[in-house]
Amino acid sequence: MDMVAKSAPGTFERLRLVLFMAASAACVVAAFTPRLAIAEPVTAADLISASASDSGANWLTHGRDYAETRFSPLDQINADNVSDLGLAWTLDTGSTRGLEATPLVADGVLYFTLPWSIVIAFDANSGEQLWQHDPQVDRSIGWKACCDVVNRGVALYDDKLYFGALDGRLIALDADTGEPVWTVQTTDVGRPYTITGAPRVADGLVIIGNGGAELGSRGYVTAYDAETGAERWRFWVVPGNPADGFENEDVERAAATWSGNWWDVGGGGNAWDAIAYDPEARLIYVGTGNGSPWSHELRSDGVGDNLYLSSIVALHVETGRVAWHYQTTPGDNWDYTATQQLTLATLAIDGVERQVIMQAPKNGFFYVLDRITGELLSAEPYARVTWASGIDPDTGRPIETPQARYSEAVSVISPSPVGAHGWQPMSFSPETGLVYIPTQSNSYNYAIKAEFEYTPGVWNRGTATGLLDALRRFPESDYGEGTGPPHPTIGQLLAWDPVARRVRWQVDYPTHSNGGTLATAGNLVFQGTAAGHLLAYRADTGETLWDVDLGQGILAPPITYLVGDRQFLSVLVGWGGATALYGYNGSGEYKAPGRLWTFVLGGGQDFDPVRGIERPTLTAIDYDDRRSVQARGGNLYAERCAMCHGGNAVGGGVLADLRYSGEAVFTIFEMIVNAGLYSEVGMPRFGDVLTVADTSAIRNYLLAQRAALIAAQ
Ligand code: CA
């Protein structure tokens, strides 16, 4: 089937093709699919040479190359012709949860992941799905995922495909058939660990981290033999209980920077996304996460740097032992993960070529380090930052502002826990020398929760759950109830010059939590937005060259590759993730179905954006409006429900906005919440932690919010 030739079918036929492919993908069953294509095995040499100028046909590893540049040398689609891009094909995913994956491409075969860690292989040559593998993650553990049941992708090596399942398994599949080869449980299933990140393969090892710092866990990164799944090494990001002994000297050194009983909650540091590799230096680079709990005072008596939280850590690939570390946020107190993408490059700094590693972590500073020695070369704020006035170039340490530690009052601090940059990848073009970063400026009302104690099954942040809770804890604070966050959240695309340490151009968006970026040799930067637009910009100037409306918000980064001799652009579109679950919805669509979109020069121009479902018309339901019931329900909702169904009961368009629930839901509310009636679709059972009276209070709180919505309509 030739779906893209210039002699292509007219609009009608093209549309039919799109519909056919969408329908066929939905019903294909893996075991009965005829073999249509086999990608050549991915060798170690292929992975090392993935950054070469003739490597553009494929996208073999998460960041396209070990340097994680997300730069494609392809230039068939370029600044002169990008406006001719049109639709090649689409694939409906059958999911309404967040889509965050970077597809990999080998010889025209796309491998990508969906929510609940489902893996799909799709042959772009023929337009057929090759296989689908569902690891059957128990939907009742969805609550362990702080930030949606997402998955960011797979790794390819030799004849195998590797991915992490949400429940902590690392699974190797036969890349041709999707049949499992080996599986290891990488986590303690008794703790709230998840895997959402893509594994990387380096030196014959599959390297995988985990998430879980919000709920309470001890982060680590493990390397497994790619052939057998045997464990080779583990890097513990934070120490465990010293009474149990230390795993090695790296952990012992870290323990000297901690105080208190941090191991009760876990300490955190979970490395859930960023991994890069320098095959010449034989160093693995890992970006580590925030403290668990967030509050430094509750976690470590307010004492010590708490290594290796919020750090860029270089590990020897043979041993997993620390070569050097740089801590971006000593004594993390704000959920400032340094798990954001790590990118390797060669930059001329002060006239000297340096092998650097770059990161724009949540804390708002853009770091450039010598990646061999760990020396700090520069650190400049790239967004609104109020927790530190700068980074001392001599010590490499932040210069904290007086309001940064919030033990005595509510403190309004930028960035917020969402960060100035999320997991959405940046890209680096060696041709422009610019880094294209999806950023945002924001703030948050931090307040300590002094009566904190570790509670299994909930977020253990040690901080107030929102502005009203913060003000309740610190009523003397000098700004009034209802003023909200004093700094509005603003989303931007920055073209950052890492040598000059400043912005070259920027795009201001009305939305935040926008998608990851792709840079190409066609002098282009591609990015999707939370409003659902996919855009192309001139990489050197920022001029908008192409803009299509795909409907719902876009998080995932686009990729580009060749099928035959034609360049394609693909992006997964599915709103979700942490900010969406907490209630932010940039497009306003509700439960819109996820889709993989693929574009090509000369493709179809006649396509419709994907829309969500209509919100139902609301009818009033009687409820108990006594203040004591409402306060109890509101507090319980904030603690148990808000992280998935939205702050203040306002949903972000992914999961049910509970104000809109049908009358039947409110009739059987206690069965759903306490008895786990909907556990098969990911709604946890709360019967062990909520009483019938608790659940009744939550129900009454929700009905009050529903009544307020009706009154406002
Ligand atoms: Ca976090």
Side-chain angles (χ1 to χ4, degrees):
M1 172 178 3
D2 183 358
M3 42 184 173
V4 292
K6 289 246 167 140
S7 58
T11 301
F12 173 72
E13 282 168 299
R14 247 190 231 114
L15 270 179
R16 252 193 8 186
L17 175 68
V18 167
L19 292 170
F20 163 74
M21 294 179 71
S24 67
C27 62
V28 164
V29 177
F32 304 104
T33 306
R35 289 286 337 150
L36 294 160
I38 292 183
E40 291 293 314
V42 174
T43 67
D46 291 337
L47 289 171
I48 288 171
S49 62
S51 56
S53 59
D54 61 354
S55 68
N58 291 328
W59 189 294
L60 295 179
T61 186
H62 191 61
R64 218 197 77 78
D65 47 34
Y66 275 142
E68 302 264 322
T69 60
R70 294 180 178 270
F71 171 79
S72 169
L74 297 181
D75 61 1
Q76 188 181 98
I77 301 170
N78 57 54
D80 293 330
N81 63 19
V82 68
S83 60
D84 294 333
L85 274 182
L87 189 64
W89 52 269
T90 65
L91 182 75
D92 285 348
T93 64
S95 164
T96 57
R97 305 290 293 261
L99 296 177
E100 298 187 354
T102 299
L104 300 191
V105 183
D107 305 326
V109 179
L110 276 69
Y111 305 90
F112 57 97
T113 50
L114 302 180
W116 300 111
S117 328
I118 293 168
V119 189
I120 287 179
F122 183 86
D123 181 7
N125 289 290
S126 66
E128 298 288 339
Q129 180 172 299
L130 300 176
W131 52 259
Q132 175 171 330
H133 177 83
D134 182 348
Q136 302 291 333
V137 171
D138 177 356
R139 271 37 173 183
S140 72
I141 61 108
W143 62 270
K144 291 185 179 181
C146 67
C147 308
D148 206 350
V149 295
V150 294
N151 189 284
R152 283 181 296 280
V154 306
L156 291 172
Y157 180 60
D158 198 9
D159 54 357
K160 296 185 190 64
L161 175 150
Y162 307 89
F163 72 102
L166 191 73
D167 54 19
R169 285 175 290 163
L170 178 67
I171 299 172
L173 304 178
D174 182 311
D176 288 335
T177 65
E179 292 298 321
V181 179
W182 56 254
T183 298
V184 291
Q185 180 66 45
T186 72
T187 58
D188 175 354
V189 295
R191 299 286 299 196
Y193 286 104
T194 56
I195 299 178
T196 57
R200 313 296 201 280
V201 171
D203 204 37
L205 303 174
V206 190
I207 296 158
I208 190 75
N210 51 57
E214 266 56 60
L215 290 96
S217 66
R218 179 188 181 197
Y220 54 88
V221 174
T222 318
Y224 296 91
D225 184 288
E227 187 62 31
T228 66
E231 183 177 326
R232 290 287 193 79
W233 52 254
R234 176 164 288 177
F235 162 63
W236 291 97
V237 179
V238 300
N241 186 343
D244 298 335
F246 298 116
E247 287 83 358
N248 58 47
E249 287 165 13
D250 295 333
V251 179
E252 189 170 6
R253 194 175 309 119
T257 67
W258 289 74
S259 182
N261 300 333
W262 69 87
W263 54 88
D264 286 344
V265 182
N270 304 61
W272 48 264
D273 200 58
I275 302 171
Y277 179 49
D278 180 338
E280 282 183 29
R282 297 182 62 73
L283 292 174
I284 296 281
Y285 302 96
V286 173
T288 71
N290 57 279
S292 176
W294 290 359
S295 162
H296 187 221
E297 187 167 312
L298 297 174
R299 185 179 67 242
S300 185
D301 300 331
V303 175
D305 287 348
N306 296 176
L307 292 173
Y308 300 90
L309 294 181
S310 304
S311 299
I312 301 167
V313 184
L315 305 173
H316 295 289
V317 69
E318 297 89 353
T319 61
R321 297 294 300 275
V322 175
W324 57 260
H325 73 275
Y326 176 81
Q327 191 171 39
T328 60
T329 308
D332 171 46
N333 200 33
W334 311 272
D335 187 19
Y336 286 165
T337 67
T339 57
Q340 282 59 39
Q341 177 190 349
L342 297 163
T343 298
L344 315 184
T346 302
L347 298 180
I349 295 176
D350 298 330
V352 180
E353 274 209 347
R354 304 293 293 253
Q355 304 297 309
V356 307
I357 184 166
M358 303 184 286
Q359 191 186 43
K362 270 189 188 177
N363 77 9
F365 290 93
F366 188 94
Y367 295 87
V368 181
L369 307 177
D370 182 307
R371 72 169 180 266
I372 308 302
T373 65
E375 177 193 353
L376 176 68
L377 301 177
S378 67
E380 288 294 325
Y382 63 89
R384 177 183 165 84
V385 175
T386 66
W387 72 280
S389 60
I391 307 297
D392 183 322
D394 295 326
T395 64
R397 297 181 68 87
I399 305 156
E400 286 187 19
T401 53
Q403 72 266 30
R405 304 278 158 185
Y406 49 85
S407 303
E408 306 297 332
V410 179
S411 196
V412 182
I413 295 170
S414 297
S416 82
V418 171
H421 174 212
W423 63 268
Q424 290 92 327
M426 60 189 193
S427 53
F428 170 69
S429 167
E431 301 197 350
T432 62
L434 301 177
V435 187
Y436 303 97
I437 321 169
T439 66
Q440 53 232 342
S441 284
N442 46 29
S443 70
Y444 186 73
N445 311 282
Y446 288 88
I448 197 168
K449 191 174 177 180
E451 72 277 24
F452 172 80
E453 65 177 65
Y454 173 65
T455 309
V458 300
W459 283 36
N460 283 278
R461 305 180 309 180
T463 60
T465 49
L467 175 62
L468 294 179
D469 188 27
L471 289 169
R472 183 174 63 78
R473 291 170 192 284
F474 296 97
E476 305 302 312
S477 294
D478 61 2
Y479 72 92
E481 184 170 337
T483 55
H487 193 272
T489 301
I490 298 166
Q492 293 168 322
L493 170 61
L494 297 187
W496 180 265
D497 184 331
V499 176
R501 297 183 275 163
R502 65 180 184 86
V503 173
R504 290 290 182 189
W505 57 260
Q506 72 184 62
V507 176
D508 295 332
Y509 292 119
T511 55
H512 58 88
S513 298
N514 299 304
T517 71
L518 162 70
T520 77
N523 193 21
L524 292 172
V525 176
F526 292 94
Q527 185 190 23
T529 69
H533 284 246
L534 181 61
L535 297 117
Y537 301 98
R538 270 188 75 104
D540 53 356
T541 66
E543 181 189 351
T544 304
L545 299 175
W546 183 64
D547 179 350
V548 289
D549 181 7
L550 302 185
Q552 63 169 322
I554 304 171
L555 298 161
I559 62 159
T560 191
Y561 52 94
L562 293 182
V563 178
D565 58 359
R566 305 197 68 193
Q567 185 182 354
F568 286 71
L569 176 81
S570 290
V571 64
L572 280 158
V573 178
W575 188 236
T579 52
L581 293 191
Y582 201 68
Y584 177 64
N585 188 349
S587 75
E589 298 295 329
Y590 188 44
K591 297 187 177 181
R595 175 177 283 185
L596 177 66
W597 293 81
T598 296
F599 297 89
V600 68
L601 290 175
Q605 297 297 327
D606 191 9
F607 55 87
D608 292 323
V610 175
R611 299 296 180 200
I613 60 174
E614 291 289 324
R615 289 170 179 79
T617 306
L618 294 177
T619 53
I621 301 173
D622 288 341
Y623 64 96
D624 187 339
D625 65 353
R626 281 177 297 167
R627 182 175 292 191
S628 60
V629 172
Q630 289 296 319
R632 180 180 182 178
N635 286 337
L636 287 166
Y637 177 89
E639 183 163 286
R640 298 283 178 180
C641 319
M643 301 311 167
C644 291
H645 290 285
N648 304 315
V650 179
V654 182
L655 299 180
D657 184 318
L658 298 175
R659 300 170 303 169
Y660 288 93
S661 296
E663 292 188 31
V665 166
F666 287 106
T667 304
I668 58 170
F669 195 74
E670 202 241 325
M671 286 183 68
I672 296 170
V673 177
N674 288 29
L677 194 63
Y678 290 176
S679 63
E680 281 183 18
V681 293
M683 170 65 195
R685 177 183 167 276
F686 288 92
D688 294 339
V689 290
L690 294 176
T691 65
V692 172
D694 288 340
T695 303
S696 173
I698 293 171
R699 177 181 176 277
N700 279 294
Y701 166 76
L702 288 171
L703 287 171
Q705 305 310 308
R706 176 192 184 98
L709 191 61
I710 293 172
Q713 281 175 346

